[in-house]
Amino acid sequence: MEQLLYIEIPQPDIDAVKVWLHEHYRPIAGQKIITPDGIRLLFAAAENVIAADRYPELSLFVWSVQRTTYLKVFRWAQQPVPSEQKLLRQFVRDIRQAFPYRYPTLPAIDLSQQSIFAALAPYYPQTVKFFQRIPNGDYDLTRVYWWEQRWREGVQRPRQPNQVVFNTLNPPDSATSVQPIYDLIYVGGALGVIHAAMMARLGYRVLLIERLPFGRMNREWNISRDEFQQLIDIGLFTPQEFETLIAREYVDGFHKFFDANNPPQAKAAVLHTPTVLNVSLDAEALLRLCGEKLQAAGGEIWDETEFTRVEIAPSQVTVYARQLPTGRDRQAVGRLVVDAMGTASPIAWQLNNGRAFDSVCPTVGAAIASGFPPGAWDHRYGDVLFSHGDSSRGRQLIWELFPGKDDEVTIYLFHYHQIHPDNPGSLLELYEDFFTILPEYRRCDLDQLVWRKATFGYIPGYFSTSSRDRRVAFDRLVAIGDAASLQSPLVFTGFGSLVRNLPRLTDLLDTALRHDLLTSQYLNQIRAHQSNVAVTWLFSKGMMVPTGQYLPPERINATLNTFFGILANEPPEVADKFIKDRIDWLTFNQLALKAAVRNPALLWWIWQLAGWRDLLRWLLSYVDFTWASLKRYLLKPWITPFMNWIHAWLEPRYPALWLWLLAQRYEVLGSTSERFRAMAQSSTTAYTAPSTAIRSSTE
């Protein structure tokens, strides 16, 4: 017996595939015999075959998992049957013509005439069924629809982003005679409030505008102790406060990808990462605490308020918004706007002329309070990256599972996705997958689960060739977090990037504000670009099925297992550095060479997935990574002593040059908190914001 063919048929209805095989498929050779799971093709024996091949045949059978259908063909013979390759080629053409990729579209609905549940039930029955059991499920499902609608509009009309940022020579009449009320206006309250709280504690007058009721989150956050230590070192949290935010700390975290169909060189052991994402945070408690710190420092929060546009004048900015419960228009005047609206940010789309992102991870899931049977999961462990099948309908589905407080677990399902106007990526379709195949992943009865909240979003990716190829700022406006799409290609989101780079972003922004360096040429230096993250985007590329392209179903799992198998055999600190975006030039090259030696086909696979244009872009990223590594090697011993020596003389006289040097220092050393901690302790910030002045100005 020999396997001749393994393909995926992107069709959730396996019975439709069986009907086609039984009733419509006409083989060019052999006698078709119907079986419960497919067909057999019998061939007349040739005169000179051995006895075992007296009745050679091909066996075709199908099975279903992950809401799709897979098919294999085996030969029961020692030698090829007549016209074997021609028959297989014709069969593949016929079945792909009968069951092509059908990328989901967003149904048009009218919520003035019916509920969100009634509107979506014909299209996503499982999603509607279980969202009805989630607290505030109607609100969250409406937001899922809204988010996907906005995402699709941005992807499908990339050259025509909606204009929301306007330049004007004169400020609005109501603001011409007053000084800016706020130093900083943050738009977006999830990641935004962490940074806003830090800036308010430095004495800046801060306003936070948030579309949702403040403190609500559609994701949970995980981190490690050493990474959160950054926020303690800079004084935003105390060690005691951090302990109150921990929902659970794990013994270990696992990475494992399905490898039943992989070649031997692409099978891998479980990768253990005990210090990666091993601390589960209470995200909403974290937001509330940051909100309290922001308000205690004199800041203000406008929640349930939707950003509409911003007008930029030479001396100030005016942000226009609408209070959602009342429909009342509001406006705020300040010195600088910080865009923290994430992937749905219309500012980010306009900022980069529609090319806001190169890739995306549509992500859905839920926080589940209880209901899993005993033994379904050990709450001392996290499932960091896991797949239980091969690619499904043009996506390699990946699971994450993070236990929380008591019996709670948060489970995510996501895939790495190439942005394409015909296939932008669907949250609703992914939710239908989630609720259908969750029992395949973890033994459970969905009707027994107690749902706490839905978790969902689009996590962006941008393939940078250098720190200069993406804009993150207009005059008096700068983007942070997911709006700047500076996430890791592996497991970290904008939250991880912001935490790792908060000292860097805060120090640079503080310097720019103190010296009024608020034009785009200066603000574009305030970014969390890491050359070692940029060079690993090719890893992300190897996890995406290009739109319209058919790959061997096992290809992405084989690629992932090649890399993770190598990491599993390395010392634990190597995997820790790689997954936490701390990989250095030498280690990166050693791992790349080991992967090429272990699985030489990997180079061809990457070529097929990336193409020559993206490989050229990657080479530019690699050159930038090499140059940055060389600078780090040459400058690291003396750049800090030099800047400490020249600081007092240079900054007052040439603040723009000082800002540039400071940005270079962070690029060389990374986002260390040492200088920032010293700066905060010496109280160099020039602005003090009495809370009474802020409140009276907005009454």
Side-chain angles (χ1 to χ4, degrees):
M1 183 176 68
E2 180 180 352
Q3 179 179 309
L4 303 180
L5 182 67
Y6 173 40
I7 62 172
E8 183 221 349
I9 305 166
Q11 170 57 256
D13 185 359
I14 189 173
D15 290 332
V17 178
K18 291 179 181 179
V19 168
W20 182 85
L21 288 170
H22 294 167
E23 300 179 8
H24 302 288
Y25 172 52
R26 299 290 182 264
I28 62 173
Q31 177 188 355
K32 183 169 76 172
I33 298 177
I34 294 174
T35 67
D37 296 317
I39 60 173
R40 296 163 59 201
L41 297 179
L42 298 183
F43 297 84
E47 292 295 331
N48 59 346
V49 298
I50 61 177
D53 289 343
R54 180 61 60 186
Y55 302 105
E57 70 174 73
L58 299 183
S59 177
L60 292 77
F61 62 93
V62 295
W63 72 98
S64 179
V65 69
Q66 300 187 126
R67 282 189 75 219
T68 193
T69 303
Y70 299 93
L71 179 145
K72 283 189 175 183
V73 179
F74 282 87
R75 182 209 303 142
W76 291 85
Q78 297 294 327
Q79 300 176 359
V81 301
S83 305
E84 181 178 273
Q85 291 303 313
K86 182 179 179 181
L87 183 150
L88 292 175
R89 287 194 298 269
Q90 184 65 46
F91 171 76
V92 170
R93 284 195 297 268
D94 289 349
I95 200 166
R96 284 181 174 164
Q97 185 175 0
F99 301 101
Y101 281 130
R102 298 188 185 278
Y103 297 114
T105 58
L106 190 66
I109 61 176
D110 183 0
L111 296 184
S112 66
Q113 303 296 319
Q114 56 188 334
S115 70
I116 188 68
F117 296 138
L120 294 181
Y123 309 98
Y124 307 104
Q126 291 292 99
T127 302
V128 168
K129 174 183 176 180
F130 290 104
F131 261 86
Q132 288 177 306
R133 303 181 184 183
I134 297 175
N136 301 307
D138 54 345
Y139 179 91
D140 282 340
L141 188 55
T142 302
R143 192 156 187 266
V144 173
Y145 182 91
W146 168 85
W147 206 340
E148 181 169 336
Q149 184 180 49
R150 176 170 285 194
W151 174 260
R152 285 177 175 274
E153 289 172 352
V155 172
Q156 292 169 343
R157 294 196 295 274
R159 299 189 182 277
Q160 302 173 14
N162 294 328
Q163 185 174 3
V164 294
V165 180
F166 300 87
N167 289 302
T168 178
L169 294 177
N170 300 306
D173 293 340
S174 61
T176 53
S177 60
V178 299
Q179 293 296 317
I181 296 172
Y182 301 103
D183 295 305
L184 290 154
I185 301 173
Y186 286 80
V187 186
L191 294 179
V193 71
I194 301 173
H195 198 262
M198 191 66 243
M199 296 304 292
R201 287 169 65 84
L202 290 179
Y204 288 102
R205 300 165 293 183
V206 175
L207 169 66
L208 179 76
I209 299 174
E210 167 58 36
R211 187 178 185 274
L212 298 176
F214 180 74
R216 288 204 60 184
M217 271 287 293
N218 293 122
R219 282 189 65 85
E220 296 293 336
W221 285 330
N222 283 65
I223 201 166
S224 62
R225 281 186 174 271
D226 68 315
E227 288 171 312
F228 197 93
Q229 187 65 39
Q230 292 266 48
L231 304 186
I232 297 173
D233 288 344
I234 64 178
L236 182 56
F237 296 100
T238 66
Q240 295 74 23
E241 288 172 333
F242 173 52
E243 296 299 326
T244 67
L245 298 175
I246 297 176
R248 186 178 291 272
E249 189 166 3
Y250 314 136
V251 173
D252 199 354
F254 306 135
H255 307 249
K256 177 59 184 170
F257 302 97
F258 185 71
D259 60 9
N261 298 301
N262 289 4
Q265 70 273 19
K267 294 181 182 289
V270 174
L271 172 63
H272 296 263
T273 54
T275 57
V276 172
L277 301 180
N278 63 307
V279 176
S280 175
L281 298 177
D282 184 335
E284 294 185 355
L286 173 63
L287 294 185
R288 289 194 299 270
L289 182 56
C290 287
E292 292 168 4
K293 291 176 178 290
L294 170 62
Q295 291 173 316
E300 188 172 354
I301 298 172
W302 293 356
D303 68 344
E304 296 187 86
T305 302
E306 185 173 33
F307 165 84
T308 55
R309 73 182 194 277
V310 57
E311 292 184 358
I312 300 176
S315 60
Q316 64 187 44
V317 290
T318 305
V319 175
Y320 296 85
R322 182 175 67 257
Q323 195 174 47
L324 294 177
T326 65
R328 182 168 65 92
D329 292 332
R330 306 187 75 174
Q331 72 179 61
V333 179
R335 298 175 61 206
L336 180 70
V337 173
V338 179
D339 176 17
M341 287 186 284
T343 58
S345 168
I347 293 175
W349 287 95
Q350 182 181 342
L351 189 62
N352 287 279
N353 297 316
R355 188 191 168 220
F357 319 111
D358 289 302
S359 68
V360 69
C361 283
T363 304
V364 303
I368 303 168
S370 61
F372 282 95
W377 189 257
D378 188 329
H379 281 60
R380 296 174 300 166
Y381 301 94
D383 215 358
V384 184
L385 293 171
F386 179 89
S387 66
H388 79 277
D390 291 326
S391 56
S392 166
R393 305 198 314 282
R395 307 154 307 156
Q396 178 60 63
L397 300 179
I398 299 174
W399 295 94
E400 290 183 312
L401 184 153
F402 298 115
K405 186 178 180 181
D406 299 326
D407 292 332
E408 183 175 306
V409 295
T410 299
I411 300 178
Y412 300 106
L413 180 65
F414 68 95
H415 61 94
Y416 288 82
H417 189 72
Q418 175 195 51
I419 295 176
H420 192 284
D422 296 334
N423 183 24
S426 172
L427 293 180
L428 286 165
E429 188 72 17
L430 193 56
Y431 253 129
E432 194 71 4
D433 289 325
F434 176 82
F435 289 115
T436 303
I437 69 176
L438 178 57
E440 296 175 4
Y441 166 55
R442 286 291 149 221
R443 303 185 305 275
C444 64
D445 180 351
L446 267 62
D447 290 322
Q448 300 301 314
L449 300 182
V450 178
W451 307 88
R452 187 172 73 82
K453 73 173 184 178
T455 57
F456 54 88
Y458 286 102
I459 302 172
Y462 185 90
F463 299 157
S464 300
T465 57
S466 72
S467 62
R468 298 166 296 281
D469 74 341
R470 175 181 169 83
R471 294 181 66 189
V472 296
F474 287 117
D475 291 348
R476 297 190 175 273
L477 188 154
V478 66
I480 64 170
D482 283 337
S485 66
L486 295 170
Q487 103 297 356
S488 159
L490 287 173
V491 296
F492 287 100
T493 63
F495 172 67
S497 175
L498 181 70
V499 170
R500 291 195 304 274
N501 290 284
L502 191 66
R504 174 186 193 174
L505 296 173
T506 304
D507 193 3
L508 294 174
L509 187 57
D510 170 71
T511 302
L513 283 164
R514 284 190 288 106
H515 298 291
D516 207 35
L517 301 173
L518 302 180
T519 59
S520 61
Q521 74 176 100
Y522 302 118
L523 295 177
N524 265 305
Q525 299 176 48
I526 304 173
R527 60 175 70 217
H529 174 81
Q530 295 175 237
S531 60
N532 62 340
V533 173
V535 80
T536 55
W537 72 257
L538 198 62
F539 195 91
S540 298
K541 193 75 175 179
M543 299 165 75
M544 304 174 203
V545 180
T547 296
Q549 186 171 329
Y550 293 93
L551 294 179
E554 75 281 7
R555 175 63 54 81
I556 293 177
N557 277 325
T559 302
L560 290 168
N561 278 312
T562 298
F563 282 105
F564 278 78
I566 291 169
L567 290 175
N569 294 324
E570 294 289 322
E573 58 270 17
V574 174
D576 190 83
K577 287 169 59 177
F578 185 82
I579 296 176
K580 288 181 178 177
D581 299 335
R582 297 171 178 169
I583 195 75
D584 59 78
W585 185 89
L586 182 60
T587 306
F588 174 83
N589 283 279
Q590 288 174 337
L591 293 175
L593 287 173
K594 288 180 180 180
V597 171
R598 174 172 177 168
N599 186 4
L602 189 66
L603 301 176
W604 171 240
W605 294 350
I606 292 174
W607 175 270
Q608 286 181 304
L609 288 169
W612 69 269
R613 287 186 177 85
D614 278 340
L615 283 176
L616 178 60
R617 291 176 61 198
W618 178 82
L619 285 174
L620 294 175
S621 297
Y622 181 78
V623 170
D624 183 67
F625 179 39
T626 303
W627 171 239
S629 301
L630 181 61
K631 285 196 300 182
R632 185 172 298 109
Y633 175 77
L634 295 175
L635 300 179
K636 185 175 181 178
W638 61 270
I639 189 170
T640 297
F642 171 75
M643 291 188 66
N644 291 340
W645 173 69
I646 204 172
H647 179 194
W649 179 86
L650 182 63
E651 184 175 5
R653 293 171 175 80
Y654 304 101
L657 178 57
W658 174 251
L659 177 66
W660 179 83
L661 279 174
L662 201 57
Q664 298 306 305
R665 177 187 180 276
Y666 278 113
E667 189 170 332
V668 168
L669 299 182
S671 189
T672 62
S673 56
E674 295 174 3
R675 182 188 179 278
F676 178 83
R677 185 166 58 247
M679 177 199 72
Q681 291 172 351
S682 64
S683 302
T684 59
T685 303
Y687 296 94
T688 302
S691 58
T692 53
I694 292 181
R695 283 195 293 270
S696 64
S697 67
T698 57
E699 290 176 352

